[in-house]
Amino acid sequence: METTQISIDLDVYKEIQNRLTSFRDTPNQVLRRVFKLTPSVGDREETNEGGLMIKGVLLKNGLKLQNNYNGRLIEAVIKDNMIFCNGKMYPSPAAAARAET
């Protein structure tokens, strides 16, 4: 199955998270249900457990993050329930932002 990467804001991500029906549910499965599409043969079960809870939203391990800050692209990933950015681990987005600026 061919996939395409899209960018969504935090409100959309939070709504997708609110519509999960199990811990193994993926955002793709949620959107297929919302749009009343049949389940995809290629839908995979989420294998990463855990993540980082930020303002009531679970950012699952493996989630890639990116943000432009002062004209500089900062990329990170949720790993081991923390934010991994530029070879260092941070307990929160604020801690990562302070260290990267």
Side-chain angles (χ1 to χ4, degrees):
M1 175 177 86
E2 185 177 333
T3 62
T4 301
Q5 183 176 348
I6 62 170
S7 296
I8 57 174
D9 60 40
L10 188 58
D11 291 333
V12 173
Y13 182 78
K14 190 172 183 178
E15 186 59 33
I16 290 171
Q17 293 298 303
N18 287 336
R19 293 176 186 235
L20 295 175
T21 57
S22 76
F23 289 113
R24 300 239 183 262
D25 213 0
T26 66
N28 190 66
Q29 291 166 329
V30 170
L31 292 173
R32 290 188 78 82
R33 279 195 307 272
V34 168
F35 296 131
K36 296 179 175 45
L37 300 171
T38 58
S40 171
V41 174
D43 275 346
R44 61 175 175 78
E45 289 191 350
E46 182 62 49
T47 56
N48 293 330
E49 294 295 326
L52 183 62
M53 186 68 73
I54 303 293
K55 295 184 180 180
V57 176
L58 177 63
L59 304 177
K60 292 183 181 180
N61 287 326
L63 179 69
K64 294 178 183 176
L65 307 169
Q66 59 179 212
N67 192 24
N68 284 306
Y69 185 78
N70 286 338
R72 184 172 154 226
L73 180 63
I74 299 174
E75 296 181 307
V77 66
I78 303 299
K79 180 179 177 182
D80 299 327
N81 307 328
M82 296 184 75
I83 296 176
F84 183 72
C85 183
N86 289 331
K88 297 176 186 162
M89 300 292 272
Y90 302 98
S92 70
R98 281 191 300 272
E100 294 300 316
T101 56

